[in-house]
Amino acid sequence: MKSVARRFVGIDLHLGVTQVCVLDEQGKVLREQRLPTGDPETNHRLLSYLARWRTGGRYAVEAIGFNRWLVNACLAAGLDVIVADP
């Protein structure tokens, strides 16, 4: 049985833009992307982008007051998300 490669997805959430950084198991940066956020359409695009690493992905978002929508949306989408102290 083939094992699934782990990916670690860091999410730096801001009111108008979100920075996403994806690392492999050795900590090598695989991808960095800035995506707009703030309205339902752009938030949906962010979630679609994050879902690319659903299998084998572990997501971390900083513990800030306005992250609730993203954390709830990630959990609803079946993403393995944690909230961490920045």
Side-chain angles (χ1 to χ4, degrees):
M1 180 187 212
K2 185 178 179 182
S3 66
V4 175
R6 294 291 294 171
R7 299 291 184 248
F8 301 95
V9 183
I11 305 164
D12 188 12
L13 183 63
H14 298 276
L15 290 175
V17 68
T18 297
Q19 179 81 22
V20 178
C21 182
V22 182
L23 306 175
D24 68 9
E25 293 176 298
Q26 289 74 44
K28 178 183 174 192
V29 175
L30 300 176
R31 178 169 281 198
E32 285 188 276
Q33 183 80 30
R34 290 183 73 135
L35 298 157
T37 49
D39 62 62
E41 184 179 329
T42 58
N43 292 350
H44 178 73
R45 281 196 294 255
L46 172 63
L47 289 170
S48 294
Y49 180 80
L50 293 173
R52 296 174 185 193
W53 299 282
R54 176 180 286 119
T55 302
R58 183 83 195 263
Y59 300 77
V61 63
E62 62 187 316
I64 55 175
F66 60 89
N67 74 3
R68 177 79 57 192
W69 73 266
L70 179 62
V71 172
N72 288 340
C74 286
L75 291 172
L79 305 181
D80 182 12
V81 64
I82 60 167
V83 177
D85 186 354

